[in-house]
Amino acid sequence: VMANPLFWMVGFSHFCSFIVRSSDKVLGTFIFDATNLPRSLCGPLTTSVTLGFIGGLVSGREINDLETIGEKRTFVAKRYGLAALSAVGLALCSNENAISIVGQYGLAGAITVFSGLLAAMVGFQFYQFIPKYATSFGQNKAVYISLTDACAFLLLSPFWSTISGIVASSEQSGWAISWLIIAGFMAMGGAVMTSLLPTVLRLEGYDQDIKKK
């Protein structure tokens, strides 16, 4: 399984989605630092990530109605692009002038929307693409899924540790840099996943579609 180069390429994209899935662990602290609202209010707002993933899982089913590989690639690329832009939006929310423009609750609302949209734009890929690609490993399907998740979890620890260090070094600019880093991972993960889409989805008629083009 691990000898296959595609394992690592698809795994990297899955790791990028895992970053978003685990972002609720730091989102509450970010909302608190950005808005100065009570922690009792900041905590519940992190559910935007979970709700976003659920919404993304549902809305992502639209890909099944698309006929050509080009349309499917565009659909996936747009979702990753919106995910990256949502992370940029969160970086803008960390600006110290943002609270003076929209107020505490307005800023908290903006962060909730951006974080929910970020999650929604990777939700379908996170839950559906890995199981679809795993079918290519036959009887090792379960092994592949377990290894992919394990590698993602292994990388998450140093990733969030690094992010925590960046935030600690400079709270306001630290958060901005952190969200921009996440935006970069969304762009890179999206580029890799989009390029591998025919393999990941095991699309029928892909060769015929390429000939038409």
Side-chain angles (χ1 to χ4, degrees), residues 67-139:
E67 297 181 357
T68 68
I69 184 60
E71 291 176 330
K72 293 177 185 290
R73 274 180 165 162
T74 299
F75 179 82
V76 173
K78 284 182 177 179
R79 292 177 77 85
Y80 276 112
L82 286 173
L85 289 176
S86 297
V88 173
L90 289 169
L92 293 175
C93 289
S94 68
N95 188 288
E96 58 184 9
N97 295 321
I99 193 170
S100 62
I101 298 174
V102 298
Q104 285 181 305
Y105 293 99
L107 183 56
I111 293 174
T112 301
V113 170
F114 281 129
S115 60
L117 183 60
L118 172 61
M121 291 301 101
V122 299
F124 183 80
Q125 300 92 295
F126 178 80
Y127 288 114
Q128 296 294 319
F129 281 7
I130 297 303
K132 286 180 180 295
Y133 179 56
T135 58
S136 64
F137 288 90
Q139 294 182 344

